[in-house]
């Protein structure tokens, strides 16, 4: 019987990893096989692109594999920068068995959470590099620790620090190949159109529905068709913003490949700080991103994405954006907030963003002028 649970998967990983803890060997000579082990959210996964590009530059002949959550596979399976994507789910015993057969690796890099150093060791990584200050058993398989930056930096640039050497050149739209367009992708979308993505990973990132409707109305008056978007299970957000169904609703219809092509054809994306905003960087779509509890420094363009058409809308003077953990590490320069709904029932960081601020950012990044009104 298939074992689909974290417990069985962890026992399998430990059975392979523990004996290999004694076999630590720094790579000598040519590095032929590299593994990147993680299980990040969509946006954080996309922001590893700088690390991919850097590794391919410095190890042009190496086989470079990356663990990828199942839902992101449609955009990673196109081998960006010649990287091979390996589907991964912490709960899947079958996938773990497949991964353990992929090794060994000369070198493994573990961005973010050091718990994934165990799967790297189980897959036969001879040397593992990860970020410092995690502590506990998650650090046991790690051979080499890289310091976190002491000053503000975007996550994509931070991740590139795992590999030594100069930073990669900035991203150029098109260097990450487009996935195959789904057969059911609509062929009759009116141009120009704007994608308004309402969903987010946290309720504290949601913008009020009446402001989404006001923005959609303004875009429509400017001659820009409006398409609603959100993730699976978030259709109530669209119904709240557009109860009369005035605009095109494609919410939850596409997987990552379909969403890629939807954004690639768009004149504009407006969304909260969520993974879709980072997907727009890959397609080169002008994006206006609403930041509430998140940090536009950590999730912003940084150096690698500096040429992306990306505009931030936020209120910097929010005193409760005062938490400083990044992937469970305390960093003094980090300023964001991940309080629960119980702790904060009224996220004023999002409530304070008005439509005129968004209209100004749209004009700046996409050249679409909207009527301004009272806030």
């Amino acid at each position: 019987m298939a074992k689909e649970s974290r417990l069985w998967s962890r026992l399998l990983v430990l059975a392979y990893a523990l004996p290999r803890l004694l076999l630590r060997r720094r790579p000598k000579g040519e590095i032929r096989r590299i593994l990147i082990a993680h299980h990040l959210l969509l946006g954080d996964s996309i922001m590893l692109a700088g690390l991919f590009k850097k590794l391919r530059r410095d190890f042009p002949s190496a086989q470079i594999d990356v663990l990828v959550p199942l839902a992101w596979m449609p955009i990673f399976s196109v081998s960006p920068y010649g990287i091979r994507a390996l589907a991964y789910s912490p709960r899947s015993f079958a996938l773990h068995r497949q991964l353990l057969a992929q090794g060994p690796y000369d070198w493994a890099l573990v961005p973010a959470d050091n718990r994934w150093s165990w799967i790297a060791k189980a897959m036969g990584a001879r040397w593992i590099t990860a970020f410092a200050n995690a502590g506990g058993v998650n650090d046991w398989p790690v051979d080499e620790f890289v310091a976190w930056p002491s000053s503000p930096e975007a996550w994509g640039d931070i991740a590139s620090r795992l590999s030594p050497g100069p930073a990669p050149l900035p991203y150029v739209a098109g260097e990450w190949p487009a996935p195959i367009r789904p057969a059911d992708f609509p062929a009759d979308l009116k141009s120009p159109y704007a994608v308004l993505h309402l969903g987010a990973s946290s309720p504290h990132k949601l913008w009020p529905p009446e402001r989404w409707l006001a923005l959609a109305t303004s875009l429509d008056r400017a001659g820009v068709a409006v398409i609603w978007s959100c993730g699976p299970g978030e259709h109530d957000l669209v119904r709240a913003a557009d109860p009369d169904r005035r605009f095109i609703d494609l919410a939850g219809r596409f997987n990552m490949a379909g969403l890629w092509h939807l954004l690639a054809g768009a004149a504009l994306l407006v969304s909260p700080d969520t993974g879709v905003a980072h997907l727009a960087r890959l397609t080169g779509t002008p994006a206006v991103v609403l930041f509430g509890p998140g940090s536009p420094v950590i999730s912003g363009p940084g150096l690698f994405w500096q040429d992306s058409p990306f505009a931030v809308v936020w209120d910097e003077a929010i005193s409760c954006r005062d938490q400083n953990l990044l992937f469970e590490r305390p960093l003094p320069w980090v300023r964001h907030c991940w309080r629960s709904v119980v702790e904060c029932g009224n996220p004023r960081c999002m409530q304070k963003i008005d439509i005129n601020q968004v209209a100004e950012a749209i004009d700046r990044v996409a050249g679409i002028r909207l009527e301004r009104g009272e806030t």
Side-chain angles (χ1 to χ4, degrees):
M1 184 177 70
K3 305 176 180 69
E4 295 296 324
S5 75
R6 288 181 183 269
L7 175 60
W8 287 107
S9 298
R10 285 173 177 171
L11 290 175
L12 180 65
V13 167
L14 288 174
Y16 277 75
L18 285 172
R20 290 170 170 165
L21 289 180
L22 301 176
L23 304 174
R24 299 175 183 270
R25 189 170 68 216
R26 183 182 288 275
K28 293 183 179 179
E30 183 181 1
I31 294 178
R32 295 183 174 87
R33 306 192 81 227
I34 300 171
L35 173 68
I36 304 169
H38 75 92
H39 196 260
L40 290 164
L41 296 174
L42 175 62
D44 295 327
S45 298
I46 289 172
M47 284 194 283
L48 297 180
L51 176 61
F52 299 162
K53 187 172 182 176
K54 184 176 183 179
L55 287 172
R56 181 52 66 207
R57 178 198 69 194
D58 296 342
F59 303 95
S61 301
Q63 177 179 319
I64 305 174
D65 293 347
V66 60
L67 304 187
V68 175
L70 288 168
W72 319 151
M73 281 297 290
I75 63 170
F76 279 84
S77 61
V78 296
S79 301
Y81 305 102
I83 308 296
R84 184 176 68 151
L86 303 176
Y88 181 54
S89 168
R91 293 184 177 275
S92 174
F93 187 82
L95 284 178
H96 275 84
R97 292 189 64 178
Q98 292 176 25
L99 291 176
L100 295 178
Q102 297 297 323
Y105 292 90
D106 300 308
W107 188 27
L109 299 93
V110 183
D113 194 331
N114 286 6
R115 80 177 76 175
W116 311 116
S117 64
W118 284 98
I119 183 66
K121 181 58 71 174
M123 292 174 68
R126 299 186 177 97
W127 191 261
I128 300 176
T129 300
F131 285 110
N133 302 330
V137 298
N138 290 339
D139 280 352
W140 288 5
V142 179
D143 302 293
E144 177 185 29
F145 293 99
V146 174
W148 291 87
S150 58
S151 57
E153 199 166 307
W155 165 238
D157 298 334
I158 295 172
S160 295
R161 289 172 171 262
L162 281 174
S163 181
L169 293 175
Y171 179 79
V172 177
E175 63 186 33
W176 187 303
I180 297 174
R181 185 193 298 264
D184 63 345
F185 189 86
D188 56 350
L189 294 178
K190 177 184 176 182
S191 294
Y193 66 83
V195 176
L196 305 188
H197 186 87
L198 281 61
S201 58
S202 164
H204 288 159
K205 293 184 176 184
L206 302 180
W207 204 36
E210 64 275 9
R211 297 185 199 173
W212 281 117
L213 180 57
L215 176 60
T217 303
S218 294
L219 285 165
D220 183 61
R221 288 173 179 166
V224 179
V226 172
I227 296 177
W228 297 117
S229 171
C230 67
E234 295 180 321
H235 297 84
D236 286 347
L237 298 175
V238 175
R239 285 191 283 267
D242 188 11
D244 297 329
R245 299 183 179 183
R246 295 172 53 193
F247 304 106
I248 301 170
D249 181 2
L250 297 180
R253 176 169 169 176
F254 303 118
N255 66 4
M256 284 294 111
L259 192 53
W260 172 295
H261 286 282
L262 183 66
L263 295 180
L268 170 70
L269 166 73
V270 182
S271 86
D273 164 33
T274 192
V276 174
H278 301 286
L279 185 59
R281 290 175 177 168
L282 297 182
T283 63
T285 306
V288 172
V289 185
L290 316 183
F291 277 84
S295 166
V297 175
I298 298 168
S299 298
L303 295 176
F304 185 68
W305 305 98
Q306 62 183 277
D307 297 327
S308 298
F310 186 91
V312 167
V313 181
W314 75 316
D315 189 323
E316 189 172 0
I318 298 291
S319 59
C320 53
R321 196 189 285 111
D322 60 356
Q323 296 177 320
N324 71 338
L325 290 181
L326 181 60
F327 300 117
E328 304 304 320
R329 278 89 156 186
L331 298 177
W333 55 266
V334 171
R335 292 290 181 271
H336 56 192
C337 169
W338 298 116
R339 292 177 174 85
S340 67
V341 176
V342 174
E343 294 173 293
C344 175
N346 183 32
R348 58 192 181 94
C349 52
M350 289 299 288
Q351 298 284 349
K352 292 188 71 174
I353 296 175
D354 66 58
I355 189 171
N356 284 337
Q357 291 174 287
V358 177
E360 188 278 329
I362 290 173
D363 188 6
R364 175 160 37 94
V365 77
I368 301 172
R369 298 187 65 92
L370 304 181
E371 295 179 2
R372 311 294 174 89
E374 295 183 4
T375 60

